[in-house]
Amino acid sequence: MIEIDHLTKRFGPIMAVDDISFDVARGEVVGFLGPNGAGKSTTMKMATGFMRPTLGTARICEFDVLEDPVDVKQRIGYLPEGAPMWPDMTSAAFLKFIARVRGFDGSEAVDRIRTAIDKTQLAGVLEQPIDTLSKGYKRRVGLAQALLHDPEVLILDEPTDGLDPNQKHEVRELILGMAGEKAIVVSTHILEEVEAVCSRAVIIANGRIVADSTPEELLSRAPDHNSVTIRTSDPEAIKTALAGVDGVAEVHDIKENWLRVRPTAGSVVADAVGVALREKGAPIDELHVERARLDDVFRQITAKG
């Protein structure tokens, strides 16, 4: 559905995007991540035909953004950074305008506008000028225009920017509800959003892709992911009990009476650790399974990139 094919963008001597390629299939929600200035928004602008690449191209539903720009735009719902809109228009007038731009009129336009309003919960602000709306409501108006024509492909740049926690949850549920029928790219700085809605994450740094994996695979890169921490009155008994247990890479002291059991790469050892400690009768006061944080992995990966 989305093919990013060696996209490259230079601004004079600055290489903003450096030979990026990846695909997105129907049913995938791909998180597109990177530090500020990494090239995320520039890549999305080129993928939608908003900005011409220096080299490479993108294809949307097999239509080339350079050769078939109108066909591409008919199939994309795009929420750009900042979602520029006419500030003196009301939300209702803006969505009516978008419907006309998309070629809808009469009852079809009314139905599509109503559906977009319902999905983004805009009914309470339809007659307000966009300039008077909060940042969160402006973002929801921008999302409504991206959804209005029920596109096959959604490219969303920071879709929950400015939303409160309840509104973020609603937008994430909306994205998940559409995921089975569309190919969706979500650029975000909110890494919990990636775990909540994305089936895959593409991370860029300095204009290049530095990771392309599922969120769980990214978490597994953290050395302490799925490690087990144990508080005990007898650390040596714990170490003896866990010697040779499959999947245990090492057992080391954290502080007095606290140990960390680190698994081998990709292993989940909590069950095996519990069984071994029970069999040996080793004294346990507390046991916790640790889960890595995606933002820690993100910093680790982008620092290398």
Side-chain angles (χ1 to χ4, degrees):
M1 300 282 284
I2 304 173
E3 299 173 76
I4 307 300
D5 187 4
H6 297 285
L7 277 180
T8 301
K9 185 65 180 180
R10 284 185 175 274
F11 296 102
I14 298 171
M15 179 69 82
V17 176
D18 188 1
D19 195 27
I20 281 181
S21 296
F22 65 92
D23 297 339
V24 185
R26 187 188 299 275
E28 280 193 296
V29 181
V30 173
F32 193 45
L33 315 174
N36 288 336
K40 301 187 301 298
S41 293
T42 300
T43 300
M44 297 173 95
K45 288 174 182 176
M46 290 189 288
T48 56
F50 183 80
M51 179 183 290
R52 190 174 185 87
T54 304
L55 293 170
T57 191
R59 285 175 290 277
I60 305 296
C61 303
E62 301 185 357
F63 291 100
D64 191 286
V65 295
L66 300 177
E67 298 174 3
D68 309 295
V70 174
D71 289 298
V72 165
K73 290 174 176 64
Q74 287 174 341
R75 289 161 176 81
I76 285 182
Y78 178 35
L79 177 64
E81 186 178 25
M85 295 171 280
W86 285 273
D88 55 342
M89 271 187 169
T90 65
S91 303
F94 176 69
L95 293 177
K96 288 175 184 175
F97 169 72
I98 293 297
R100 290 198 301 272
V101 168
R102 289 290 184 183
F104 304 121
D105 56 22
S107 61
E108 185 176 17
V110 171
D111 289 344
R112 288 184 177 272
I113 292 169
R114 184 183 297 118
T115 299
I117 289 168
D118 290 344
K119 285 182 176 180
T120 53
Q121 299 188 353
L122 286 172
V125 298
L126 290 177
E127 300 309 319
Q128 284 185 234
I130 290 171
D131 195 39
T132 68
L133 299 179
S134 67
K135 184 178 181 181
Y137 269 114
K138 288 177 181 176
R139 209 73 189 128
R140 288 158 79 175
V141 174
L143 184 57
Q145 66 78 25
L147 301 175
L148 190 141
H149 57 301
D150 192 24
E152 297 175 77
V153 169
L154 281 172
I155 296 182
L156 309 175
D157 200 347
E158 302 287 350
T160 61
D161 186 32
L163 304 186
D164 67 33
N166 289 333
Q167 293 167 341
K168 286 178 182 178
H169 175 74
E170 290 161 3
V171 170
R172 290 170 187 170
E173 289 297 306
L174 175 60
I175 291 171
L176 286 171
M178 297 185 294
E181 303 172 357
K182 303 181 188 301
I184 304 175
V185 175
V186 178
S187 173
T188 181
H189 286 94
I190 305 170
L191 296 178
E192 68 180 48
E193 201 155 271
V194 176
E195 293 188 77
V197 303
C198 296
S199 53
R200 191 169 129 225
V202 175
I203 301 178
I204 67 170
N206 301 318
R208 297 180 178 179
I209 292 177
V210 293
D212 184 349
S213 302
T214 67
E216 191 60 36
E217 287 168 345
L218 289 175
L219 287 172
S220 71
R221 298 190 184 194
D224 290 331
H225 184 54
N226 285 328
S227 64
V228 179
T229 56
I230 300 169
R231 184 166 70 90
T232 176
S233 59
D234 190 350
E236 292 306 315
I238 300 293
K239 293 177 183 178
T240 299
L242 296 179
V245 172
D246 286 346
V248 172
E250 62 174 327
V251 182
H252 63 89
D253 296 283
I254 305 173
K255 55 185 178 181
E256 186 178 2
N257 292 335
W258 280 93
L259 298 172
R260 174 170 288 129
V261 182
R262 182 168 287 165
T264 56
S267 296
V268 178
V269 294
D271 289 345
V273 165
V275 169
L277 295 179
R278 284 194 300 272
E279 287 178 350
K280 300 292 185 181
I284 306 168
D285 298 319
E286 294 182 42
L287 185 149
H288 308 276
V289 179
E290 297 196 23
R291 179 174 174 84
R293 289 166 51 87
L294 197 55
D295 52 354
D296 293 333
V297 180
F298 175 83
R299 284 194 294 272
Q300 172 188 323
I301 290 171
T302 55
K304 292 178 181 178

